[in-house]
Amino acid sequence: MKSVLITGSNKGIGFETARQLGKKGFYVIISGRNEEKVNQSLAKLHKEGIDADQLIMDVSDRESIQEAATEFSKRNLTLDVLINNAAILMKEDRSLLTNATSILENTLQTNCFGVINVTKEFLQFIPDGGRIINISSGGGSMSDEVGGWSPAYCVSKATLNMITKQLSFELLGKNIAVNSLCPGWVRTDMGGQGASRSVEKGAETPVWLASEAPQSFTGKFFRDMKEIPW
Ligand code: NDP
């Protein structure tokens, strides 16, 4: 049975990805920073007959990540797939020039340093042939027009895309595939109720990258299970 750890998966696209991978027979470890919310979500997975557990981890906090890795090490599991999904988009995020620098710092701390720190701590559990999937965004695209929305978030996702490329290069020797994806505009707390896509559709590409995509795909950016330009 393959195992998958998904950060920030007590709700939204992360939770739906956990649900769909659980239905496909993965052993699912959901994760989040709020124990009560994580346990409620775990109970929902169990109710659907999914083999799942939880790990409390705040990806913006290095100590919390280290504690989670120590806890994980006691479970004698390998980690076939790590999905770096947790991210924030701050409502105050309107300008790189006039916003307090803390908006950008907080956003990078969760959306970029979070990914690097989680990957560093959990790499020891990922076997050769494993997969790392980074949930990015079209907002991080360097080839699309800049839309003027949430600039710190967009900077963080462009940075995340380069993190993906760098990690994919570093992990070539271990045959660990590292890819980014854009889920599209999805109806979640982050995407809002006006978004064009259901959460089921939003989870489609991460589920595919975790389970069916060729292992040779690495260092790439995907949407709708197709490679897209950076
Ligand atoms: P949600 O806001 O619905 O969910 C985000 C999840 O991340 C929550 O579980 C949240 O936990 C968790 N999280 C946030 N900060 C931390 C942290 N420091 N430590 C641990 N968990 C944390 O967002 P979505 O499901 O919409 O987004 C999932 C991914 O998809 C993100 O990477 C996002 O950038 C990306 N994305 C989403 C789009 C959309 O339209 N929805 C479009 C493009 C990309 P808590 O409940 O505690 O807040």
Side-chain angles (χ1 to χ4, degrees):
M1 180 184 253
K2 292 209 163 175
S3 61
V4 58
L5 168 64
I6 308 171
T7 66
S9 48
N10 53 284
K11 66 177 183 181
I13 295 167
F15 179 75
E16 178 58 22
T17 301
R19 210 179 67 79
Q20 290 188 23
L21 286 173
K23 291 278 179 201
K24 277 180 169 282
F26 274 74
Y27 178 64
V28 173
I29 302 121
I30 60 164
S31 183
R33 53 189 167 175
N34 179 306
E35 191 163 6
E36 202 182 325
K37 287 190 199 170
V38 172
N39 284 335
Q40 282 170 3
S41 303
L42 183 65
K44 283 189 207 160
L45 294 179
H46 285 160
K47 221 171 163 184
E48 291 199 44
I50 290 167
D51 200 359
D53 202 351
Q54 53 94 309
L55 197 59
I56 304 305
M57 176 163 65
D58 180 341
V59 306
S60 69
D61 177 351
R62 192 115 201 236
E63 225 170 88
S64 169
I65 296 169
Q66 283 165 347
E67 282 167 15
T70 302
E71 167 56 31
F72 192 86
S73 70
K74 295 178 190 157
R75 301 186 188 175
N76 281 326
L77 289 169
T78 55
L79 186 59
D80 298 288
V81 183
L82 168 64
I83 304 185
N84 289 304
N85 167 77
I88 55 167
L89 188 163
M90 298 176 76
K91 60 180 184 322
E92 306 88 337
D93 178 8
R94 300 201 191 281
S95 165
L96 291 180
L97 296 174
T98 61
N99 271 156
T101 312
S102 59
I103 304 289
L104 180 60
E105 285 171 348
N106 291 343
T107 303
L108 294 177
Q109 186 61 34
T110 298
N111 300 6
C112 300
F113 286 101
V115 171
I116 292 175
N117 291 332
V118 169
T119 304
K120 267 184 167 174
E121 291 296 333
F122 283 82
L123 187 60
Q124 58 186 308
F125 309 115
I126 304 178
D128 282 23
R131 298 171 181 221
I132 298 172
I133 299 163
N134 296 329
I135 313 288
S136 183
S137 165
S141 169
M142 298 292 285
S143 41
D144 283 359
E145 287 298 316
V146 170
W149 56 277
S150 305
Y153 175 84
C154 292
V155 167
S156 78
K157 293 299 190 179
T159 305
L160 176 59
N161 283 350
M162 182 50 92
I163 291 169
T164 296
K165 288 195 77 162
Q166 292 292 337
L167 291 180
S168 75
F169 181 77
E170 280 197 46
L171 293 172
L172 270 181
K174 289 192 78 182
N175 190 29
I176 295 175
V178 190
N179 290 293
S180 272
L181 69 95
C182 167
W185 188 25
V186 181
R187 288 188 293 279
T188 61
D189 286 350
M190 183 186 286
Q193 284 317 297
S196 52
R197 291 185 168 199
S198 67
V199 77
E200 289 82 3
K201 178 75 181 163
E204 192 178 41
T205 301
V207 167
W208 171 75
L209 275 174
S211 56
E212 282 161 36
Q215 185 70 23
S216 59
F217 287 2
T218 190
K220 296 179 187 294
F221 191 22
F222 293 95
R223 185 190 289 126
D224 294 332
M225 301 181 282
K226 291 195 178 71
E227 191 177 356
I228 56 171
W230 297 101

